[in-house]
């Protein structure tokens, strides 16, 4: 199942879930093993794993009494592909803008110097007041 980008980005917005993804990138682990470095209960870690599982980034399988979690690197790669596409599009746009702004006569015209005595009516009134 391809990841739902909104769900995946929402899931990865949490620092604990990002840490779990980082840990799982090094290999499979059970919820108990994942809970080790955190000051969280295995139930809390299980909740975070469930969020990652629902968005397609993690899967769990049964191995006897163990239920190791595995990172779905293929799904994470789909998110990376989307990010790379956005980066390329913005790089192209910014390159085009940079090229446009370096062309002679491009950019914003400089404001002309105001004529002496020209100003907002309030400025003129305030100067005349005693």
């Amino acid at each position: 199942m391809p990841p739902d980008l909104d769900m995946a980005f929402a899931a990865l917005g949490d620092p604990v879930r990002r840490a779990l993804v980082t840990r799982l990138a090094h290999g499979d682990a059970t919820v108990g093993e994942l809970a080790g470095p955190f000051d969280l209960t295995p139930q809390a870690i299980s909740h975070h794993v469930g969020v990652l599982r629902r968005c397609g980034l993690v899967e769990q399988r049964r191995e006897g009494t163990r239920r190791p979690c595995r990172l779905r690197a293929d799904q994470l790669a789909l998110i990376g592909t989307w990010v790379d596409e956005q980066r390329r599009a913005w790089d192209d746009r910014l390159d085009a803008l940079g090229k446009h702004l370096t062309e002679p006569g491009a950019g914003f015209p400089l404001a002309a110097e105001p004529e002496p005595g020209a100003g907002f009516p309030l400025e003129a009134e305030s100067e005349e007041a005693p």
Side-chain angles (χ1 to χ4, degrees):
M1 148 178 116
D4 176 304
L5 287 176
D6 291 339
M7 287 178 62
F9 281 119
L12 294 172
D14 184 280
V16 171
R17 291 191 281 267
R18 286 194 307 274
L20 294 175
V21 167
T22 299
R23 165 54 185 87
L24 290 171
H26 296 286
D28 298 358
T30 64
V31 168
E33 293 165 343
L34 291 171
F38 297 99
D39 188 23
L40 296 172
T41 65
Q43 293 80 11
I45 295 296
S46 185
H47 166 77
H48 287 292
V49 167
V51 172
L52 292 168
R53 196 175 57 242
R54 283 189 294 280
C55 72
L57 294 177
V58 168
E59 64 184 8
Q60 271 185 303
R61 63 189 185 291
R62 291 192 188 271
E63 289 181 358
T65 59
R66 292 173 34 96
R67 293 196 57 179
C69 303
R70 171 179 288 166
L71 181 64
R72 299 275 320 268
D74 58 329
Q75 301 303 321
L76 198 57
L78 292 174
I79 294 169
T81 299
W82 182 86
V83 169
D84 289 342
E85 289 170 0
Q86 301 310 307
R87 183 181 299 118
R88 277 192 300 277
W90 278 103
D91 284 347
D92 291 347
R93 289 177 182 138
L94 292 173
D95 287 347
L97 176 62
K99 205 180 277 186
H100 171 73
L101 292 176
T102 57
E103 291 174 0
F108 297 103
L110 296 175
E113 288 292 321
E115 294 180 25
F120 292 107
L122 293 177
E123 289 176 356
E125 291 173 16
S126 66
E127 290 174 8
E128 294 173 12

